[in-house]
Short mmCIF file of all heavy atoms in Angstrom, two decimals:
data_model
loop_
_atom_site.label_atom_id
_atom_site.label_comp_id
_atom_site.label_asym_id
_atom_site.label_seq_id
_atom_site.Cartn_x
_atom_site.Cartn_y
_atom_site.Cartn_z
N THR A 11 -20.80 -8.82 2.77
CA THR A 11 -21.58 -9.44 3.83
C THR A 11 -22.37 -8.42 4.62
O THR A 11 -23.10 -8.79 5.53
CB THR A 11 -20.67 -10.21 4.80
OG1 THR A 11 -19.78 -9.27 5.42
CG2 THR A 11 -19.88 -11.29 4.08
N GLY A 12 -22.20 -7.16 4.30
CA GLY A 12 -22.92 -6.12 5.04
C GLY A 12 -22.12 -5.60 6.23
O GLY A 12 -22.61 -4.79 6.99
N THR A 13 -20.90 -6.09 6.38
CA THR A 13 -20.06 -5.60 7.46
C THR A 13 -19.75 -4.14 7.21
O THR A 13 -19.39 -3.76 6.11
CB THR A 13 -18.74 -6.40 7.53
OG1 THR A 13 -19.05 -7.77 7.66
CG2 THR A 13 -17.88 -5.93 8.67
N SER A 14 -19.90 -3.33 8.24
CA SER A 14 -19.56 -1.92 8.06
C SER A 14 -18.25 -1.61 8.75
O SER A 14 -17.91 -2.22 9.77
CB SER A 14 -20.69 -1.03 8.60
OG SER A 14 -20.83 -1.23 9.99
N TYR A 15 -17.52 -0.70 8.17
CA TYR A 15 -16.25 -0.29 8.70
C TYR A 15 -16.37 1.15 9.18
O TYR A 15 -17.10 1.95 8.59
CB TYR A 15 -15.16 -0.40 7.62
CG TYR A 15 -14.97 -1.82 7.16
CD1 TYR A 15 -15.65 -2.32 6.05
CD2 TYR A 15 -14.13 -2.68 7.86
CE1 TYR A 15 -15.49 -3.63 5.64
CE2 TYR A 15 -13.97 -3.99 7.46
CZ TYR A 15 -14.64 -4.46 6.35
OH TYR A 15 -14.48 -5.76 5.96
N PRO A 16 -15.65 1.51 10.24
CA PRO A 16 -15.74 2.88 10.74
C PRO A 16 -15.19 3.86 9.70
O PRO A 16 -14.13 3.64 9.12
CB PRO A 16 -14.89 2.87 12.00
CG PRO A 16 -14.01 1.66 11.90
CD PRO A 16 -14.73 0.69 11.02
N LEU A 17 -15.97 4.91 9.46
CA LEU A 17 -15.58 5.92 8.47
C LEU A 17 -15.52 7.30 9.11
O LEU A 17 -16.23 7.60 10.06
CB LEU A 17 -16.60 5.96 7.32
CG LEU A 17 -16.78 4.69 6.52
CD1 LEU A 17 -17.90 4.87 5.49
CD2 LEU A 17 -15.49 4.27 5.84
N GLY A 18 -14.68 8.12 8.56
CA GLY A 18 -14.59 9.52 8.93
C GLY A 18 -14.45 10.32 7.65
O GLY A 18 -14.55 9.78 6.55
N ASN A 19 -14.20 11.60 7.76
CA ASN A 19 -14.12 12.45 6.58
C ASN A 19 -12.85 13.28 6.57
O ASN A 19 -12.36 13.69 7.63
CB ASN A 19 -15.33 13.39 6.53
CG ASN A 19 -16.62 12.60 6.41
OD1 ASN A 19 -16.90 12.00 5.39
ND2 ASN A 19 -17.38 12.57 7.49
N VAL A 20 -12.35 13.52 5.37
CA VAL A 20 -11.20 14.41 5.17
C VAL A 20 -11.59 15.42 4.11
O VAL A 20 -12.05 15.06 3.03
CB VAL A 20 -9.94 13.65 4.72
CG1 VAL A 20 -8.78 14.63 4.47
CG2 VAL A 20 -9.54 12.60 5.74
N THR A 21 -11.44 16.70 4.45
CA THR A 21 -11.73 17.79 3.52
C THR A 21 -10.46 18.62 3.36
O THR A 21 -9.81 18.96 4.34
CB THR A 21 -12.85 18.69 4.06
OG1 THR A 21 -14.03 17.90 4.19
CG2 THR A 21 -13.13 19.85 3.13
N ALA A 22 -10.12 18.93 2.11
CA ALA A 22 -9.02 19.84 1.82
C ALA A 22 -9.61 21.16 1.37
O ALA A 22 -10.51 21.19 0.53
CB ALA A 22 -8.11 19.27 0.74
N VAL A 23 -9.14 22.25 1.94
CA VAL A 23 -9.57 23.60 1.54
C VAL A 23 -8.38 24.25 0.86
O VAL A 23 -7.31 24.39 1.45
CB VAL A 23 -10.02 24.43 2.77
CG1 VAL A 23 -10.41 25.83 2.35
CG2 VAL A 23 -11.17 23.73 3.49
N VAL A 24 -8.59 24.65 -0.40
CA VAL A 24 -7.50 25.20 -1.20
C VAL A 24 -7.81 26.65 -1.56
O VAL A 24 -8.86 26.94 -2.13
CB VAL A 24 -7.29 24.36 -2.49
CG1 VAL A 24 -6.12 24.91 -3.30
CG2 VAL A 24 -7.08 22.90 -2.14
N THR A 25 -6.88 27.54 -1.18
CA THR A 25 -7.02 28.96 -1.49
C THR A 25 -5.76 29.46 -2.20
O THR A 25 -4.71 28.80 -2.16
CB THR A 25 -7.25 29.80 -0.22
OG1 THR A 25 -6.14 29.61 0.66
CG2 THR A 25 -8.54 29.41 0.49
N ASP A 26 -5.88 30.64 -2.81
CA ASP A 26 -4.69 31.24 -3.42
C ASP A 26 -4.03 32.19 -2.43
O ASP A 26 -4.44 32.28 -1.27
CB ASP A 26 -5.05 31.93 -4.74
CG ASP A 26 -5.94 33.15 -4.59
OD1 ASP A 26 -6.13 33.62 -3.45
OD2 ASP A 26 -6.44 33.65 -5.61
N ASP A 27 -3.01 32.91 -2.91
CA ASP A 27 -2.24 33.83 -2.04
C ASP A 27 -3.12 34.88 -1.37
O ASP A 27 -2.79 35.37 -0.29
CB ASP A 27 -1.18 34.57 -2.86
CG ASP A 27 -0.14 33.64 -3.45
OD1 ASP A 27 -0.50 32.57 -3.93
OD2 ASP A 27 1.03 34.02 -3.44
N THR A 28 -4.24 35.22 -2.02
CA THR A 28 -5.10 36.28 -1.48
C THR A 28 -6.19 35.72 -0.58
O THR A 28 -6.96 36.49 -0.01
CB THR A 28 -5.77 37.07 -2.62
OG1 THR A 28 -6.70 36.21 -3.30
CG2 THR A 28 -4.75 37.62 -3.61
N GLY A 29 -6.30 34.40 -0.48
CA GLY A 29 -7.33 33.78 0.33
C GLY A 29 -8.57 33.39 -0.45
O GLY A 29 -9.52 32.85 0.13
N ALA A 30 -8.57 33.65 -1.76
CA ALA A 30 -9.72 33.28 -2.60
C ALA A 30 -9.70 31.77 -2.86
O ALA A 30 -8.63 31.17 -3.04
CB ALA A 30 -9.67 34.03 -3.92
N PRO A 31 -10.88 31.12 -2.89
CA PRO A 31 -10.93 29.68 -3.15
C PRO A 31 -10.42 29.35 -4.55
O PRO A 31 -10.63 30.11 -5.49
CB PRO A 31 -12.40 29.32 -3.01
CG PRO A 31 -13.15 30.59 -2.96
CD PRO A 31 -12.21 31.70 -2.69
N VAL A 32 -9.73 28.22 -4.66
CA VAL A 32 -9.22 27.75 -5.94
C VAL A 32 -10.03 26.53 -6.34
O VAL A 32 -10.08 25.55 -5.60
CB VAL A 32 -7.72 27.40 -5.85
CG1 VAL A 32 -7.22 26.84 -7.17
CG2 VAL A 32 -6.90 28.61 -5.42
N ASP A 33 -10.67 26.60 -7.50
CA ASP A 33 -11.46 25.46 -7.94
C ASP A 33 -10.75 24.68 -9.04
O ASP A 33 -9.81 25.15 -9.66
CB ASP A 33 -12.86 25.89 -8.40
CG ASP A 33 -12.85 26.72 -9.66
OD1 ASP A 33 -11.83 27.34 -9.98
OD2 ASP A 33 -13.89 26.73 -10.35
N GLN A 34 -11.21 23.46 -9.22
CA GLN A 34 -10.74 22.56 -10.26
C GLN A 34 -9.26 22.19 -10.14
O GLN A 34 -8.55 22.09 -11.14
CB GLN A 34 -11.03 23.14 -11.66
CG GLN A 34 -12.50 23.35 -11.95
CD GLN A 34 -13.31 22.07 -11.81
OE1 GLN A 34 -12.99 21.07 -12.45
NE2 GLN A 34 -14.33 22.07 -10.98
N VAL A 35 -8.79 22.00 -8.91
CA VAL A 35 -7.45 21.45 -8.71
C VAL A 35 -7.57 20.11 -7.99
O VAL A 35 -8.48 19.89 -7.20
CB VAL A 35 -6.50 22.39 -7.94
CG1 VAL A 35 -6.22 23.65 -8.72
CG2 VAL A 35 -7.00 22.70 -6.56
N GLN A 36 -6.65 19.24 -8.29
CA GLN A 36 -6.64 17.90 -7.70
C GLN A 36 -5.90 17.92 -6.38
O GLN A 36 -4.86 18.57 -6.23
CB GLN A 36 -5.94 16.94 -8.66
CG GLN A 36 -5.79 15.53 -8.12
CD GLN A 36 -5.13 14.61 -9.12
OE1 GLN A 36 -5.40 14.68 -10.30
NE2 GLN A 36 -4.27 13.73 -8.62
N VAL A 37 -6.42 17.16 -5.42
CA VAL A 37 -5.76 16.92 -4.13
C VAL A 37 -5.84 15.42 -3.90
O VAL A 37 -6.85 14.78 -4.19
CB VAL A 37 -6.47 17.70 -3.00
CG1 VAL A 37 -5.70 17.54 -1.70
CG2 VAL A 37 -6.62 19.17 -3.34
N ASP A 38 -4.75 14.85 -3.40
CA ASP A 38 -4.68 13.40 -3.22
C ASP A 38 -4.65 13.03 -1.74
O ASP A 38 -4.06 13.75 -0.92
CB ASP A 38 -3.42 12.84 -3.88
CG ASP A 38 -3.43 12.99 -5.39
OD1 ASP A 38 -4.53 13.09 -5.98
OD2 ASP A 38 -2.34 13.00 -5.99
N LEU A 39 -5.25 11.90 -1.43
CA LEU A 39 -5.20 11.30 -0.11
C LEU A 39 -4.36 10.05 -0.25
O LEU A 39 -4.70 9.15 -1.02
CB LEU A 39 -6.61 10.97 0.38
CG LEU A 39 -6.75 10.53 1.82
CD1 LEU A 39 -6.36 11.67 2.77
CD2 LEU A 39 -8.18 10.10 2.12
N MET A 40 -3.23 10.01 0.47
CA MET A 40 -2.28 8.92 0.33
C MET A 40 -2.07 8.23 1.66
O MET A 40 -2.30 8.81 2.72
CB MET A 40 -0.95 9.46 -0.18
CG MET A 40 -1.08 10.21 -1.49
SD MET A 40 0.50 10.82 -2.09
CE MET A 40 1.15 9.29 -2.75
N LEU A 41 -1.61 7.00 1.59
CA LEU A 41 -1.22 6.30 2.80
C LEU A 41 0.14 6.86 3.25
O LEU A 41 0.86 7.46 2.46
CB LEU A 41 -1.14 4.80 2.56
CG LEU A 41 -2.48 4.12 2.26
CD1 LEU A 41 -2.28 2.61 2.12
CD2 LEU A 41 -3.52 4.43 3.32
N PRO A 42 0.48 6.69 4.52
CA PRO A 42 1.72 7.27 5.05
C PRO A 42 3.01 6.83 4.34
O PRO A 42 4.04 7.47 4.51
CB PRO A 42 1.73 6.83 6.51
CG PRO A 42 0.28 6.67 6.86
CD PRO A 42 -0.34 6.12 5.60
N ASP A 43 2.94 5.78 3.53
CA ASP A 43 4.15 5.34 2.82
C ASP A 43 4.53 6.28 1.67
O ASP A 43 5.57 6.12 1.04
CB ASP A 43 4.00 3.91 2.30
CG ASP A 43 2.89 3.76 1.25
OD1 ASP A 43 2.29 4.77 0.82
OD2 ASP A 43 2.62 2.61 0.87
N LYS A 44 3.68 7.27 1.39
CA LYS A 44 3.88 8.25 0.31
C LYS A 44 3.91 7.62 -1.08
O LYS A 44 4.33 8.24 -2.03
CB LYS A 44 5.16 9.08 0.51
CG LYS A 44 5.13 9.97 1.72
CD LYS A 44 6.37 10.84 1.77
CE LYS A 44 6.37 11.72 3.00
NZ LYS A 44 7.57 12.53 3.10
N ALA A 45 3.48 6.38 -1.17
CA ALA A 45 3.49 5.69 -2.45
C ALA A 45 2.10 5.19 -2.85
O ALA A 45 1.83 5.02 -4.03
CB ALA A 45 4.46 4.51 -2.41
N THR A 46 1.23 4.98 -1.86
CA THR A 46 -0.08 4.40 -2.14
C THR A 46 -1.13 5.50 -2.18
O THR A 46 -1.43 6.13 -1.16
CB THR A 46 -0.45 3.36 -1.07
OG1 THR A 46 0.60 2.40 -0.96
CG2 THR A 46 -1.76 2.66 -1.42
#
């Protein structure tokens, strides 16, 4: 219907032990139930 919902953004920054960026790894955004 064109209804818009409020949106925000989540960014995950992944580095290794030395602080170098790590590419091509998966990160998940889950609901607080830890199942969804």
Side-chain angles (χ1 to χ4, degrees):
T11 63
T13 304
S14 63
Y15 297 93
L17 300 176
N19 298 290
V20 178
T21 298
V23 178
V24 182
T25 59
D26 67 11
D27 297 41
T28 67
V32 177
D33 68 336
Q34 299 303 305
V35 295
Q36 176 178 321
V37 185
D38 295 336
L39 189 64
M40 304 181 77
L41 293 184
D43 64 6
K44 294 185 181 177
T46 307

